[in-house]
Amino acid sequence: MLITAIPPIALTVGANRIVRGVAIPHPVGDPKEEPAVELEIRKKLLEKALQALCEPIKEQTLFE
């Protein structure tokens, strides 16, 4: 499972579960946000990533 802001590259290298991140320099957060807002962004991405790990798949899958 990979969290990335560039899903096409993840697909090219063969990652099987891909979660779209926030931005290239900060895929799992946004330092411009207030700490409480950034924590919520991170929590949501983590929840999405855990859900992606639990999802049965047969081919590469992008979780938006």
Side-chain angles (χ1 to χ4, degrees):
M1 204 287 301
L2 178 65
I3 299 174
T4 180
I6 313 171
I9 293 174
L11 289 165
T12 300
V13 299
N16 59 357
R17 291 173 172 86
I18 304 157
V19 173
R20 185 180 302 275
V22 178
I24 293 171
H26 307 285
V28 291
D30 187 350
K32 296 179 205 163
E33 294 289 346
E34 295 292 322
V37 174
E38 185 178 26
L39 180 62
E40 195 60 35
I41 292 169
R42 289 174 180 243
K43 281 183 180 179
K44 287 181 181 178
L45 276 171
L46 178 60
E47 289 170 357
K48 191 183 295 186
L50 290 172
Q51 185 178 15
L53 285 171
C54 294
E55 190 75 29
I57 62 170
K58 294 187 183 212
E59 58 186 33
Q60 287 180 300
T61 305
L62 175 61
F63 296 86
E64 295 286 340

